[in-house]
Amino acid sequence: MKARLHIFQTIAVATIAAAFLLGACEMVPKGSLWTEVEIALELPQELDVDLDLSQVEIRLQAKASPVAYVTNPDGQGKARIRVQPGRYDLLASAYYKATRIAVNANCPEFLLTEKGIVGDDGGLLPSIITLNLEVAIPNELVFREIYYHGSSTLEGASYTKDRYLEIYNNAGPGGRTVTLDSLCVSTIYPYNSTTGNNPWKGLDTLALAQMFWMFPKGGYTLAPGESCVVALVSAVDHSSRATSGLQLNKAHFGAYADHLSGHEISAGVTPMVCYMAGQGNTWAVSIHSPAVVLFKPEMGVDAYRADETTWERYEPGKTSGTKYWHIAKGWIIDGVECADSPEQSIKRLPASVDASYVYMRSPHYSGKCITRVLEDTIDGIRIYKDTNNSAADFTPDATPSPNLKRP
Amino acid sequence: MRRRIHKLSGSILMVLVSAFIPAGAQTFGIGNGARTEQYLNWQNAWFGSANPAAISLFSTASVSAQMGEAVAGGDCSFGKFRTPYEPASRFGANLSTLSYIKLWKAVAKGRFGYGYDLSKGSTWRGLADPHETPFMLADSIPGNLSKETYSMEAAVAMPVGSHLSLGLEAAYDVALMAKHVDLRNKNTGMDFHISPGIRYDSRHFSAGLSARYHRSTEKIEYLQVDESTEKYLFEFMGAWNFRSLGFSSAETSRMKIGNAFGGSLQTEYKSGGKFRIFNEFSADYLTTSQGETGYNGLRHGDSRSLVIADNISFVISPRRRITAYWKSAPMVGYRFIQRQELDPASGIRRYVTYGSPVPCFDRMEYEGGLYYDAPETCVDNDRTFTIRLACGLEFGHMEEYYSEGIVRQSGVAYNYMGPALKILAGWQSQDGRNKIDMGIQANSNFRIPMKKADLVYYDEMSMIQFTGNHYDGELADRQAAVMNGLAFRAYAQWTHQRLALRLNGRLRAPFKAAQGTYTTLSLTAAWSF
């Protein structure tokens, strides 16, 4: 009896003690796994101006969580950032106002593990990234404003027919008058920034999404300080239809073609010329993340369209399925990468066109747009910021203010 | 041997149907009134343990060959003082049946249940159990939410020799949940549980050991019917940190898979009289994994949790117990580093995982209590009227953090402690055919504020920027606020021979009256056999 009680007491005490001890231990580790990445910036050798590299902002954007790490390098352009392993975009950018020089560089999405960066072949590379800064050359023609979010009807339903973009001659006083003939506007495939991957990442050619529109021959020009508004679907007066109240019947150009149902045009608006690069009966510009480009094929649009063998191809890595019309990145005059949100976004435009992306904080159908930042006004002519970095060049969530034709 | 196996398989078949077939005319010998599992628990603490071998004690706990009950009930809840997961109002109905049956030397148990709930004004309910994992898709638009559950359980135990008994238990539950307003989620869940156990019994000492495996799956699909306006889907990453995406651009379906391995150790000392000490120590390792429902390999987050618990009961008499329990449940959540790659063989793009899973969430939760307790059917057989008091003390702690590398964002954090008081009264008629039991219970929880770190910078050289909607402090505060206040429960039960009718009411109220209350009422009818 006494021996049994002794055994029971031992077991009972051991059991209760084990309960408290095990509960006090960290049986499930809660430490945070982190790693370091080294970044080295290098200026172009041909640049003959001394730039302070410590003014360059380095931004490491996480792709799986809404977090970015921002820092500046030392004077030699070196920085170390301690971060959690994950998927990241890396952007380095700076604008030197005194010399009006902008530099950009980016590293497309990469995987950073606790042991290093994952290479294209799945192997591990050291966590050291060297970025060659490129000097951003300002463009004569730029997108001044892009309204893609849409608004709502007076009854509260979504409305997307009142969307437009505005092209501006940003050459400034003494700049060149530019002809619009044969210039083209389109969006780049994939349609949305939230698509899982971009098969054209790192390539010199980009795929056009669905269709592109050409300014008609007719001697249309833009002098410095002048702009033209292009209605994307309906060049009509929307003031009785939608909360945006946009009078796109005063737009300069309209994306209109007889075979596209849903497109409308008013008298006095010049129709653009439609070239199909896919299928559909409406121009499907993404309402949350289009990558918009202004380009001109170097051989001319007619010769470009005639050369199907070179420019109409399958998606990279595939030999069947949908064929896409491609353009060379060197043909792009201006481009803006609009993203739905920084994380989970793929990069469609090369860094030489747009080093980063701009994203709206307001919800879809909010009636807001992105508008380029005004940098200066000289002799009454506005000059907008153009560093080939849309995150710095554009203000999101702006109220649309297109420069429409005056009656 | 063949005869024993034949009897055992026959027993299992009997168990599966026993829950549906009422017993014969044998009556319950001890006392009058409805027989419940709670009554068996008060007869012997082993019935409340996780060891299926313990049901062999039914042979000694009951003089009848079969005992069971069929129950039908309805309940409703409403009020403002609630967590973000609780609806503005809820109506439910349920049917269940439970049976214990002696089969030669073995004892079998069967249970079947069906429940239907309709909630109104439900939000943030992306999972059937939102606390199971920190990763969840949810939406903020209030709407009706319906939920159907089916549950089945079968267990059998039989003695082996004069001291040992073996037991086996299996349970299978199915839950279907659907929201009726955009964004509308449809959840299909399955829960399977199996547990073997062994028990040793001697005159003064008993011990038992049981193991268990639990597997659950839940498929979540979001749908938008009215496409005239954009709706937003929220992807939660733990501690009320989230990312919102327009529905058209979001991942809208998931599969959650859970596994749990665990076991329990029971020990009991019997004095030979009424005094007993029963202790059960349990440990369970739980994992959940979420990924896309298709075959693209996209993973949304895993969680790991180790739950340790101990319950000890000092049985003073059949109607008096001192019980103490303590449970610790830390959890860690992980996300994966993945990228989409083209499989050259199939031409399909799949997500490939690299590196180790990255911890991004941790929760520390523990709770405990000490009670001097009495059963709710409290009237003694040799008395007309009985009144009893019961009391206790409860305490708990919960804190959650979302981690993004060098930053640790606090979510919910609180301690609570409070007393519980119960007054029980019972009356029975002279002939013992009618009984009335009533009780009232009051709990108060005082939330002890914790120093909540908002954003903690461990490295001054790097600056963190949150680039999207990321933390809803209001929802976190609402979840914690419910832990600060009073809870009242009152019940009245009338028993006439085999029939029992019970009315139950609960009221949850804050210390500040302006926050409203939350009330739950239920009416249950039970038929004993």
Side-chain angles (χ1 to χ4, degrees):
Chain A
M1 177 67 168
K2 282 189 180 177
R4 284 181 178 173
L5 280 176
H6 179 67
I7 291 171
F8 163 74
Q9 286 168 352
T10 304
I11 294 174
V13 170
T15 303
I16 297 170
F20 282 93
L21 283 172
L22 283 171
C25 292
E26 289 190 9
M27 297 295 289
V28 183
K30 59 179 183 182
S32 180
L33 196 65
W34 57 270
T35 187
E36 279 195 351
V37 58
E38 285 183 41
I39 299 154
L41 304 180
E42 292 184 359
L43 286 168
Q45 290 184 350
E46 62 272 16
L47 188 67
D48 57 2
V49 177
D50 268 337
L51 296 177
D52 181 8
L53 286 175
S54 66
Q55 289 190 38
V56 177
E57 181 184 90
I58 295 174
R59 186 181 186 88
L60 196 63
Q61 173 68 53
K63 307 302 287 185
S65 51
V67 172
Y69 300 82
V70 181
T71 192
N72 294 84
D74 58 20
Q76 281 70 50
K78 299 209 185 317
R80 296 173 72 94
I81 304 180
R82 191 161 59 127
V83 299
Q84 213 171 31
R87 279 189 301 136
Y88 291 94
D89 272 346
L90 179 61
L91 168 70
S93 65
Y95 180 63
Y96 300 90
K97 198 166 183 180
T99 53
R100 294 195 67 198
I101 290 176
V103 293
N104 293 313
N106 79 346
C107 179
E109 182 181 299
F110 60 94
L111 263 62
L112 179 65
T113 70
E114 71 275 18
K115 293 181 181 173
I117 293 175
V118 179
D120 290 339
D121 60 354
L124 285 175
L125 303 170
S127 301
I128 302 170
I129 299 175
T130 300
L131 293 178
N132 296 312
L133 294 169
E134 295 181 0
V135 177
I137 301 171
N139 302 311
E140 288 175 321
L141 291 179
V142 297
F143 289 107
R144 189 194 76 81
E145 198 161 275
I146 305 176
Y147 169 53
Y148 59 87
H149 242 30
S151 61
S152 57
T153 64
L154 301 179
E155 294 77 30
S158 304
Y159 189 77
T160 58
K161 289 191 168 186
D162 57 346
R163 299 183 294 164
Y164 69 88
L165 53 86
E166 182 176 327
I167 297 170
Y168 181 82
N169 186 331
N170 203 35
R176 193 170 67 95
T177 296
V178 180
T179 179
L180 297 175
D181 289 4
S182 302
L183 293 185
C184 303
V185 175
S186 185
T187 59
I188 296 298
Y189 195 82
Y191 284 106
N192 299 312
S193 68
T194 51
T195 306
N197 72 293
N198 180 14
W200 289 271
K201 187 175 81 172
L203 299 181
D204 289 335
T205 56
L206 310 174
L208 296 174
Q210 191 191 32
M211 64 184 73
F212 67 93
W213 297 83
M214 186 186 75
F215 287 94
K217 297 184 173 93
Y220 299 101
T221 59
L222 286 180
E226 288 184 343
S227 63
C228 65
V229 175
V230 179
L232 301 184
V233 179
S234 293
V236 299
D237 185 353
H238 298 275
S239 51
S240 61
R241 297 186 187 185
T243 53
S244 64
L246 289 166
Q247 294 178 310
L248 293 184
N249 55 319
K250 299 177 185 174
H252 301 80
F253 296 92
Y256 178 81
D258 289 335
H259 69 280
L260 297 178
S261 63
H263 283 242
E264 301 166 277
I265 198 161
S266 300
V269 181
T270 304
M272 308 266 285
V273 181
C274 176
Y275 289 92
M276 295 301 294
Q279 296 180 355
N281 55 13
T282 303
W283 190 15
V285 176
S286 171
I287 58 124
H288 52 74
S289 53
V292 189
V293 291
L294 175 69
F295 68 96
K296 183 175 183 178
E298 60 184 6
M299 70 286 284
V301 175
D302 292 337
Y304 163 66
R305 290 288 288 186
D307 191 1
E308 288 181 7
T309 309
T310 304
W311 299 107
E312 192 179 22
R313 301 197 293 271
Y314 295 112
E315 179 182 310
K318 291 189 174 179
T319 55
S320 62
T322 305
K323 274 191 169 181
Y324 299 88
W325 277 90
H326 289 70
I327 59 171
K329 67 177 183 182
W331 300 350
I332 298 174
I333 298 166
D334 192 28
V336 181
E337 178 104 46
C338 305
D340 196 46
S341 64
E343 69 275 9
Q344 299 286 40
S345 288
I346 57 170
K347 194 81 176 67
R348 291 157 292 177
L349 297 181
S352 56
V353 175
D354 187 349
S356 181
Y357 29 68
V358 59
Y359 68 101
M360 301 275 270
R361 279 66 166 174
S362 54
H364 307 152
Y365 311 109
S366 61
K368 299 295 183 183
C369 70
I370 59 169
T371 194
R372 197 174 282 267
V373 174
L374 178 65
E375 185 180 9
D376 206 349
T377 303
I378 302 175
D379 296 334
I381 295 177
R382 294 183 173 188
I383 300 173
Y384 290 91
K385 194 171 183 181
D386 182 16
T387 64
N388 284 0
N389 178 3
S390 55
D393 293 347
F394 281 87
T395 300
D397 306 301
T399 300
S401 55
N403 290 312
L404 298 167
K405 285 188 297 190
R406 288 183 176 75
Chain B
M1 181 65 171
R2 278 191 188 175
R3 203 171 164 193
R4 282 187 182 174
I5 293 172
H6 180 71
K7 280 186 179 176
L8 184 58
S9 56
S11 306
I12 294 171
L13 184 61
M14 284 296 293
V15 159
L16 291 176
V17 298
S18 66
F20 298 92
I21 300 174
Q26 288 181 326
T27 57
F28 183 48
I30 300 176
N32 297 322
R35 301 170 208 124
T36 64
E37 228 168 15
Q38 191 185 43
Y39 180 88
L40 286 174
N41 291 346
W42 276 92
Q43 289 296 106
N44 195 319
W46 278 93
F47 282 101
S49 75
N51 193 335
I55 66 170
S56 63
L57 292 168
F58 179 73
S59 303
T60 52
S62 168
V63 299
S64 72
Q66 181 171 354
M67 187 189 87
E69 61 184 41
V71 180
D75 62 280
C76 66
S77 304
F78 50 90
K80 290 183 182 176
F81 187 54
R82 60 185 195 270
T83 68
Y85 302 120
E86 292 176 315
S89 63
R90 186 185 65 83
F91 302 90
N94 57 83
L95 294 170
S96 66
T97 178
L98 164 72
S99 177
Y100 285 81
I101 185 170
K102 294 180 196 176
L103 299 165
W104 302 282
K105 292 183 181 178
V107 175
K109 170 187 163 186
R111 184 202 303 267
F112 177 80
Y114 169 79
Y116 181 83
D117 276 353
L118 178 64
S119 301
K120 293 181 182 291
S122 177
T123 55
W124 308 112
R125 196 69 185 274
L127 290 173
D129 179 5
H131 297 289
E132 187 182 0
T133 168
F135 307 104
M136 182 175 70
L137 283 178
D139 86 297
S140 61
I141 301 171
N144 289 358
L145 181 80
S146 57
K147 185 179 174 187
E148 256 187 327
T149 53
Y150 302 82
S151 59
M152 288 164 279
E153 180 186 331
V156 65
M158 64 184 299
V160 177
S162 57
H163 295 285
L164 290 178
S165 56
L166 300 175
L168 182 67
E169 179 182 75
Y172 183 75
D173 297 341
V174 171
L176 305 167
M177 189 169 84
K179 186 160 170 260
H180 300 194
V181 171
D182 287 338
L183 291 166
R184 49 195 80 203
N185 53 306
K186 182 175 79 171
N187 295 49
T188 309
M190 179 281 296
D191 225 279
F192 173 73
H193 162 101
I194 188 165
S195 173
I198 184 170
R199 183 175 175 274
Y200 169 84
D201 194 26
S202 66
R203 185 180 172 196
H204 290 291
F205 175 69
S206 301
L209 186 65
S210 61
R212 49 186 168 267
Y213 170 68
H214 184 102
R215 180 173 173 86
S216 64
T217 63
E218 185 171 354
K219 184 177 176 183
I220 307 109
E221 296 169 290
Y222 270 88
L223 177 69
Q224 181 173 355
V225 173
D226 173 21
E227 296 180 351
S228 63
T229 55
E230 174 86 282
K231 306 288 192 310
Y232 281 81
L233 201 54
F234 293 83
E235 181 182 358
F236 283 95
M237 300 167 286
W240 292 109
N241 282 270
F242 65 91
R243 178 178 60 223
S244 68
L245 287 172
F247 179 78
S248 58
S249 59
E251 303 281 354
T252 59
S253 64
R254 291 188 176 185
M255 172 66 85
K256 177 178 68 70
I257 298 174
N259 288 285
F261 303 86
S264 297
L265 173 69
Q266 301 90 21
T267 52
E268 183 186 36
Y269 166 71
K270 297 169 277 189
S271 68
K274 296 179 181 176
F275 181 72
R276 297 179 177 215
I277 304 175
F278 175 84
N279 185 76
E280 181 176 36
F281 169 72
S282 301
D284 291 88
Y285 182 66
L286 293 78
T287 68
T288 67
S289 177
Q290 285 190 43
E292 277 302 291
T293 53
Y295 297 96
N296 66 358
L298 179 61
R299 302 184 70 169
H300 292 294
D302 281 14
S303 70
R304 302 282 183 270
S305 179
L306 181 65
V307 181
I308 308 285
D310 194 89
N311 288 270
I312 185 166
S313 294
F314 298 87
V315 180
I316 302 168
S317 72
R319 298 187 182 278
R320 281 283 183 269
R321 258 180 214 180
I322 297 174
T323 60
Y325 87 98
W326 179 81
K327 185 173 89 170
S328 161
M331 177 188 283
V332 179
Y334 302 90
R335 58 179 174 82
F336 295 89
I337 304 171
Q338 294 188 300
R339 73 178 178 194
Q340 219 176 24
E341 295 180 358
L342 178 67
D343 179 11
S346 63
I348 296 173
R349 292 200 167 267
R350 296 192 78 254
Y351 283 90
V352 179
T353 304
Y354 291 95
S356 303
V358 180
C360 61
F361 169 84
D362 62 278
R363 173 196 293 167
M364 184 58 216
E365 186 175 17
Y366 62 77
E367 61 183 39
L370 177 67
Y371 305 92
Y372 174 68
D373 207 359
E376 294 191 348
T377 49
C378 70
V379 64
D380 292 331
N381 290 328
D382 56 350
R383 294 185 185 179
T384 305
F385 181 76
T386 306
I387 185 165
R388 286 199 172 90
L389 295 176
C391 58
L393 183 68
E394 299 171 331
F395 62 90
H397 169 87
M398 218 277 270
E399 57 180 309
E400 293 182 333
Y401 292 94
Y402 168 74
S403 300
E404 178 60 41
I406 62 174
V407 174
R408 204 153 174 250
Q409 166 78 56
S410 170
V412 183
Y414 56 80
N415 291 313
Y416 67 89
M417 181 181 289
L421 179 67
K422 201 156 55 170
I423 302 173
L424 310 166
W427 169 89
Q428 68 171 343
S429 59
Q430 293 282 358
D431 58 5
R433 295 159 70 95
N434 288 283
K435 285 179 63 179
I436 296 176
D437 293 286
M438 291 184 294
I440 184 165
Q441 179 176 344
N443 292 64
S444 67
N445 285 323
F446 299 91
R447 187 158 61 105
I448 304 162
M450 279 183 65
K451 192 175 178 184
K452 194 166 76 172
D454 214 357
L455 280 176
V456 180
Y457 295 91
Y458 294 154
D459 184 345
E460 295 177 356
M461 293 181 64
S462 292
M463 184 169 67
I464 299 284
Q465 288 183 4
F466 282 94
T467 53
N469 300 334
H470 72 281
Y471 174 63
D472 196 319
E474 183 191 344
L475 291 174
D477 288 343
R478 274 178 58 193
Q479 182 181 344
V482 170
M483 297 311 302
N484 197 36
L486 299 168
F488 298 96
R489 185 173 73 94
Y491 70 91
Q493 177 174 306
W494 170 64
T495 308
H496 175 72
Q497 293 188 310
R498 294 177 182 271
L499 175 67
L501 294 175
R502 184 183 179 107
L503 180 64
N504 211 36
R506 292 176 189 268
L507 176 73
R508 184 200 301 157
F511 290 122
K512 293 180 183 176
Q515 292 173 290
T517 60
Y518 198 72
T519 305
T520 302
L521 299 170
S522 67
L523 180 64
T524 307
W527 178 262
S528 307
F529 49 85

